[in-house]
Amino acid sequence: MKHQAYQPILITDAPRSQDDQLRTRQRRYIVMMSVRALCVVAGAILVGAKAPLLWLWLPLCAVGMVLIPWLAVLLANDRPPKEEHRFGARMRRRHLVETPPRALPAEERPHRVIDAEP
């Protein structure tokens, strides 16, 4: 097997677009707030129906009504870390510094001498 002296650039290493990240965060926020709405409705139904174990279910619904919106806002405003702050990027950068360049720069390439003789 031939050993390559350079690391190829993979398309899977490309970061997700900002629109895609925003869309994902919006969907996550909507899902979490829907769960919160379900907790509110479930709490109202449990109180109205005088369900057994009400002392257990109401605190669970209350925690869902308080904790989920807080987490939803935090996660909706969260972005992926910048590339220079990621541990994997630092390790890759260190590895690239250690590997020799793929090709010589233009000023270091040997020049072909073309004779002007016909």
Side-chain angles (χ1 to χ4, degrees):
M1 184 172 167
K2 189 176 177 182
H3 177 68
Q4 294 179 335
Y6 65 92
Q7 292 293 324
I9 297 174
L10 302 174
I11 190 65
T12 56
D13 290 341
R16 292 175 40 201
S17 70
Q18 289 183 352
D19 290 336
D20 189 33
Q21 292 175 15
L22 177 64
R23 197 173 313 112
T24 302
R25 292 193 320 247
Q26 287 173 339
R27 285 183 188 146
R28 188 182 317 138
Y29 181 80
I30 289 171
V31 167
M32 291 180 81
M33 293 308 282
S34 299
V35 170
R36 177 191 183 237
L38 288 174
C39 285
V40 170
V41 170
I45 290 173
L46 288 171
V47 168
K50 295 180 181 151
L53 299 175
L54 191 60
W55 59 271
L56 174 67
W57 295 112
L58 279 183
L60 289 175
C61 288
V63 167
M65 289 184 281
V66 172
L67 188 63
I68 289 177
W70 178 70
L71 286 173
V73 170
L74 284 179
L75 292 174
N77 290 322
D78 188 28
R79 302 175 100 180
K82 293 185 179 179
E83 190 62 30
E84 66 263 12
H85 298 297
R86 296 180 69 187
F87 181 73
R90 281 190 238 152
M91 295 305 290
R92 242 182 281 127
R93 197 175 316 125
R94 186 176 301 151
H95 179 69
L96 290 176
V97 169
E98 295 170 357
T99 58
R102 180 175 164 181
L104 294 173
E107 59 271 358
E108 293 182 16
R109 288 187 187 150
H111 298 285
R112 281 176 59 190
V113 178
I114 300 175
D115 293 330
E117 295 178 24

